Amino acid sequence: MNEVICYQNRELSWLKFNERVLEEAEDQSIPLCERLSFLSIYQSNLDEFFMVRIGSLHDMMLLKEEERENKTNMTAREQIAALLQRIHVLADRRDQAYEDVMVQVAEQGSRLIRFASLSEEEAKYLERYFVGEIQPLLSTIIVGRKQPFPFLRNRGIYAVGSDAFERLIAIPSRPGSFMLAEDLILHFLPKVFKKYRIIEKSLIRVTRNADIDADSIYDEDLNYRDHMAEVVKLRRKLCPVRLEMTRELNGRIIERLCQVLGLKEEQVFLTGAPMDLSFLSQIQDSLRRKPELFFRKRVPQRSAMIRYGEPVIPQILEKDILLSYPYESIKPFLSMLHEAAFDPKVVSIRMTLYRLAKDSKVVEALVEAAENGKQVDVLVELKARFDEENNIEWSRRLEDAGCHVIYGLDGLKVHSKLCLITRKEEGRIEYITQIGTGNYNEKTARLYTDLSLMTANPKIGREAAQVFQALSLGDVVEKTEHLLVAPRCLQNRILEMIDEEIREAKEGREAYIGVKKRA
């Protein structure tokens, strides 16, 4: 009998997800500038995958060599080998997709050009630009017996040693034509190293492991926020997991780079596309005048459950309100928070924060509430990967305004999106609870599909109060009736509900299971 394989390795499955993003960039039926977005998303997704997932496997390979993944029985070493092999294949497709898209972008009047296609006058302009605007900002390093190999920062492009200049350099005589700053630097390397003969040259980029367990290296001499700030600094120095280069180099040089970086040859990627595609957003901006190159703009609509022009809190006291993002606007929720900040009957606001918008209206409302004398308790999850620095700053601002800030639980991340407003109305306590599937982020609420329930149900409010009480004590909820709260009251409750629907179906009654899951 042939063995039926029911499971795909988690990491290889994620690559299939990112491959679907790449397929969108390859799809000729998708508007051209949207294909640029998919290319950039594919690249940034892959960067994070190397930093987090491959970084994590790298740590497992060093510490737990023989431990096998419980779905496909692969070791960390076997998973990394399989992943790198697949990523090399996808890299060729990415390069071809980039080339195809940029040919079509050029036909629309916006293009990246190479030095060989410049006129003599244009070449002289760029040389003057390089000498006057870029060369003074470069840090040049020689590697030899007396000069140790320098530290290469995560995702920094070298020979580009500074972020102080514009990445896209416009060619004045050719409207819509640009050159990448790193390509200009590479061309003029002989001007930088005047006493040396340049035999080979390439741009390189190192990706470093960013998977770090903050709790395992906890420093008791620091408060938790300062400890997390030190963790963020430490992450920048973790070991490399990938080396990219734009041109072939002598095998000896690659061998030397791998040696000093602690990499193997299969971790080296030769790329035909630029290593950082974030500049594509500027190309898109240069083509905004052509709406046919973009998806038709869609904006969140007003919810049919809301009477606009009236306060939101009284409407929630009348009936539950469910918002569906991004199809409906997040504004009613923001209005609820703002009203609570000024409502004399509101005693307290408690909230969990994971990822916030750059100019967060949510934080603004919480600050207003604290300044108006409300008790404001906020759990800020400092372990929100790659948002740690953001959250550290937000936590400082909240504390400065008089909010009580806590930082989560040991060994766990608090992903809950929960807000509890407590009011005192004619001597009785009222709860308004908001439970969501998405972050309290006005920007991503316009992009990601999520649900946001606002309810005055007292049973739900009392359980939400228990959740916040447990969090304030550094504990987890042991038993719930209405809310599904990990780690003790989520998986087991969901399995019970699935079993219940199975029983209903077996007995001939209507049964349904609907699941929306994020990886």
Side-chain angles (χ1 to χ4, degrees):
M1 180 183 292
N2 293 329
E3 182 182 357
V4 178
I5 299 175
C6 300
Y7 296 104
Q8 167 79 61
N9 171 262
R10 168 185 168 180
E11 317 307 345
L12 288 168
S13 176
W14 185 93
L15 283 185
K16 287 186 175 181
F17 150 73
N18 210 31
E19 184 177 358
R20 293 194 291 275
V21 177
L22 182 57
E23 287 169 357
E24 297 295 300
E26 296 169 325
D27 188 342
Q28 297 282 342
S29 69
I30 289 177
L32 183 59
C33 283
E34 304 297 346
R35 292 169 66 193
L36 291 177
S37 291
F38 284 116
L39 270 175
S40 186
I41 293 167
Y42 171 84
Q43 184 87 338
S44 60
N45 281 350
L46 192 60
D47 285 349
E48 185 170 329
F49 182 73
F50 267 96
M51 289 188 288
V52 177
R53 296 309 312 158
I54 290 184
S56 175
L57 289 170
H58 182 272
D59 293 343
M60 290 168 59
M61 185 180 69
L62 295 178
L63 300 175
K64 301 175 181 177
E65 179 82 30
E66 298 304 318
E67 185 170 313
R68 293 182 177 273
E69 184 253 333
N70 65 357
K71 299 295 189 301
T72 57
N73 205 36
M74 297 172 72
T75 65
R77 187 181 301 275
E78 289 168 343
Q79 290 180 69
I80 290 175
L83 291 168
L84 293 176
Q85 183 180 22
R86 184 61 189 154
I87 293 168
H88 275 287
V89 173
L90 292 174
D92 292 337
R93 280 179 57 187
R94 186 275 319 271
D95 290 349
Q96 187 61 55
Y98 173 80
E99 184 178 332
D100 293 344
V101 169
M102 293 307 287
V103 167
Q104 295 177 52
V105 166
E107 292 169 357
Q108 298 295 330
S110 187
R111 61 182 55 81
L112 290 182
I113 61 176
R114 299 186 181 279
F115 227 89
S117 64
L118 296 175
S119 68
E120 184 178 347
E121 184 178 336
E122 289 167 337
K124 287 182 178 178
Y125 164 79
L126 285 176
E127 183 174 3
R128 291 193 300 271
Y129 184 93
F130 174 79
V131 171
E133 302 293 331
I134 293 180
Q135 190 171 3
L137 302 175
L138 294 178
S139 297
T140 56
I141 300 169
I142 299 293
V143 178
R145 284 178 297 177
K146 294 184 179 180
Q147 298 89 4
F149 193 86
F151 176 80
L152 304 183
R153 58 188 174 84
N154 187 32
R155 294 188 292 171
I157 299 177
Y158 297 85
V160 180
S162 173
D163 292 326
F165 39 78
E166 289 293 328
R167 182 103 183 276
L168 278 183
I169 301 168
I171 311 298
S173 58
R174 298 194 197 189
S177 295
F178 307 91
M179 179 171 285
L180 286 172
E182 59 261 35
D183 289 336
L184 188 63
I185 293 168
L186 196 66
H187 180 82
F188 284 118
L189 270 188
K191 281 189 168 293
V192 177
F193 298 100
K194 293 181 179 179
K195 295 182 180 180
Y196 295 84
R197 182 165 63 96
I198 307 296
I199 299 174
E200 293 179 310
K201 56 185 178 180
S202 176
L203 299 168
I204 65 172
R205 185 173 82 142
V206 167
T207 310
R208 293 182 176 275
N209 182 358
D211 187 61
I212 188 167
D213 184 349
D215 291 328
S216 68
I217 56 170
Y218 182 62
D219 187 343
E220 294 182 356
D221 293 332
L222 297 173
N223 68 41
Y224 193 70
R225 186 169 60 199
D226 290 342
H227 164 69
M228 286 304 302
E230 291 301 313
V231 167
V232 171
K233 292 178 185 176
L234 179 62
R235 172 188 284 153
R236 296 170 186 152
K237 301 177 183 178
L238 295 181
C239 68
V241 291
R242 176 178 59 170
L243 172 65
E244 297 169 277
M245 57 181 57
T246 58
R247 298 189 187 183
E248 287 275 12
L249 292 174
N250 182 286
R252 260 188 327 103
I253 296 176
I254 296 175
E255 187 178 326
R256 173 64 175 151
L257 285 169
C258 287
Q259 181 184 359
V260 296
L261 294 170
L263 294 171
K264 295 181 178 179
E265 189 177 340
E266 56 266 28
Q267 293 172 280
V268 179
F269 290 79
L270 181 66
T271 172
M275 295 176 290
D276 178 354
L277 295 179
S278 59
F279 71 90
L280 291 179
S281 62
Q282 292 173 260
I283 298 288
Q284 288 174 312
D285 289 342
S286 73
L287 296 171
R288 293 285 174 192
R289 67 188 183 279
K290 299 186 176 185
E292 69 275 12
L293 301 181
F294 297 85
F295 286 134
R296 183 164 63 88
K297 185 177 180 181
R298 299 181 186 274
V299 295
Q301 301 298 298
R302 288 185 166 192
S303 169
M305 300 188 75
I306 301 287
R307 298 190 301 272
Y308 288 84
E310 299 181 24
V312 175
I313 288 179
Q315 297 182 59
I316 300 170
L317 292 171
E318 289 175 19
K319 65 176 182 179
D320 294 351
I321 294 173
L322 180 68
L323 301 177
S324 177
Y325 309 145
Y327 315 106
E328 295 173 324
S329 172
I330 193 176
K331 288 182 180 178
F333 167 72
L334 297 175
S335 296
M336 179 195 74
L337 270 186
H338 185 73
E339 289 171 24
F342 290 90
D343 185 348
K345 296 176 182 176
V346 168
V347 178
S348 67
I349 303 175
R350 303 176 196 174
M351 200 166 183
T352 60
L353 300 180
Y354 193 76
R355 298 190 195 277
L356 295 161
K358 185 176 181 181
D359 299 310
S360 176
K361 300 294 184 185
V362 171
V363 171
E364 188 178 295
L366 294 175
V367 166
E368 288 175 336
E371 290 175 346
N372 288 336
K374 316 293 184 191
Q375 175 66 35
V376 179
D377 300 324
V378 188
L379 185 145
V380 180
E381 182 50 83
L382 297 186
K383 290 178 285 189
R385 188 176 280 121
F386 305 124
D387 265 3
E388 296 97 339
E389 290 178 277
N390 237 7
N391 288 0
I392 286 169
E393 288 307 310
W394 283 127
S395 71
R396 289 193 177 112
R397 182 175 173 189
L398 288 164
E399 278 191 351
D400 289 344
C403 301
H404 174 227
V405 179
I406 58 177
Y407 300 113
L409 306 175
D410 291 343
L412 296 172
K413 280 187 182 180
V414 179
H415 280 275
S416 299
K417 302 347 183 248
L418 187 63
C419 175
L420 179 65
I421 298 168
T422 304
R423 301 174 81 245
K424 198 165 185 180
E425 177 76 45
E426 296 179 356
R428 70 179 188 278
I429 298 298
E430 291 180 339
Y431 293 113
I432 294 176
T433 312
Q434 185 273 341
I435 307 166
T437 63
N439 294 308
Y440 295 117
N441 185 315
E442 304 92 289
K443 182 178 179 181
T444 57
R446 298 170 64 90
L447 300 171
Y448 301 153
T449 55
D450 282 300
L451 296 172
S452 174
L453 173 68
M454 297 182 286
T455 179
N457 184 305
K459 294 179 181 178
I460 291 176
R462 283 193 289 272
E463 278 204 357
Q466 292 171 20
V467 172
F468 280 108
Q469 178 69 13
L471 289 173
S472 68
L473 297 173
D475 206 349
V476 297
V477 176
E478 297 288 343
K479 184 179 179 182
T480 60
E481 185 178 348
H482 305 285
L483 301 180
L484 302 177
V485 186
R488 303 283 171 80
C489 310
L490 175 61
Q491 182 181 10
N492 57 334
R493 295 282 305 284
I494 290 175
L495 292 176
E496 287 172 6
M497 288 189 286
I498 291 172
D499 289 339
E500 176 63 27
E501 294 304 305
I502 292 171
R503 284 192 295 272
E504 292 289 310
K506 285 181 175 179
E507 293 173 11
R509 290 190 287 272
E510 184 177 347
Y512 172 77
I513 298 173
V515 178
K516 179 179 182 292
K517 181 181 179 298
R518 279 188 182 156

